[in-house]
Amino acid sequence: MADKIRVVVLYGGRSGEHEVSLKSAASVLHHLDRERFEVIPVSIDKAGRWQWNDLRSIDQAHATSLPILADAPEMRLARGASGRGVLTPISAGVADPIEIDVVFPVMHGPLCEDGAVQGLLELTDVAYVGSGVLASAVGMDKDIAKRLAEFAGIPVAPYRVLTRKAFIGDRSSSLAKAIEGLTLPVFVKPCNMGSSVGIHKVKAWDALGPALDDAFRYDVKVLIEQGIDAREIEVAVLEGETPFVSLASELNPNSQHEFYSYEAKYLDPDGARVDLPARLDAAQMERVRSLAAQVFAALECSGLARVDFFLDRQTGQFYFNEVNTLPGFTSISMYPKMMEASGVPYGELLTRLVNMALDRHRQRQALERGYSS
């Protein structure tokens, strides 16, 4: 049998979604085909240290969330003389450097999903799963993603943008401008966070200031979005000659949660009911899947993305909400569940993502770069 493809599963990271990444990575490690891939677990702790972890110990633990071990050897990733990526321990004698083929970043949120890690991987000239720097950065910024989607003709709910600088400089004036034309309720969202971190549903104007104070803890730019009586619909997209678009699913937060909050997603085991497939008629299902493919193309995504929509209960209109270029891969995450329900099992999905990453890297290497290596 040919040599196995060496896949670095990269997890953790310096973001508010660190713990979610540990759960996603545990699931990915469990489902990667060990007959095809040699798997190398690499973690990034909250201080930014890259660590080379022992796969055998992880496998034996059967944990649903991977640990960040203080005694794991620190390492660096660089471009080797052969043109492949090389993992090298910082401490001499711990392990020998090893060439790797592809990185699977199983990380979410700022400094993980927003183009920062992708840029580093570009500098090392190593193949990696998922979107490149541009789509990753655009997808993480809810404001820019909505602007591009709207430019492509995809409906977007009304929203305003407020910067921390303006808010601190003149709180009352900036608040007045930010809510002009909007009616209660509104949603306050940090532009560059995921997993519903820092999001608030505001039902009274005197609650807007405190909601913004909290949202500005996570980002310097915040959305104030018109609340609508809507259903939450999600679609999974997988890159291909023609993108493969899954059946849509619907999230129904339970009565104790007013929306699909961080608590409903990760802390409350009964936080939401999921309908997969979503309870849509044939025309609605076709419409939202088409919109998801349009978003994937408009934002120039690669590999995979989960595209989220609102379905207005009154008008039947779909509105683009956000895109996740590295969606959750936990055992209960919707991206792999939607793909499985649409005919792509979890293990096959991971294999296809790794192969796509290698193909895309080979195509880029064939380009004239304007410099000699």
Side-chain angles (χ1 to χ4, degrees), residues 1 6 13 33 99 105 122 129 154 170 184 213 267 277 323 358:
M1 182 177 178
R6 286 180 179 155
D33 184 351
E99 290 188 329
E122 291 283 354
V129 169
I154 299 158
D170 190 338
L184 291 171
D213 287 330
L267 304 181
V323 62
L358 291 166

Side-chain angles (χ1 to χ4, degrees), residues 82-155:
S82 67
R84 298 169 75 192
V86 176
L87 283 179
T88 305
I90 292 176
S91 304
V94 175
D96 294 327
I98 183 172
E99 290 188 329
I100 56 118
D101 297 297
V102 60
V103 174
F104 196 140
V106 190
M107 303 196 297
H108 320 299
L111 300 178
C112 300
E113 189 178 351
D114 62 356
V117 165
Q118 290 74 16
L120 175 62
L121 297 175
E122 291 283 354
L123 285 171
T124 59
D125 201 22
V126 64
Y128 59 93
V129 169
S131 288
V133 175
L134 175 63
S136 298
V138 165
M140 178 57 64
D141 190 306
K142 295 179 177 68
D143 172 35
I144 303 302
K146 287 176 186 289
R147 289 194 221 178
L148 286 176
E150 196 166 24
F151 184 76
I154 299 158

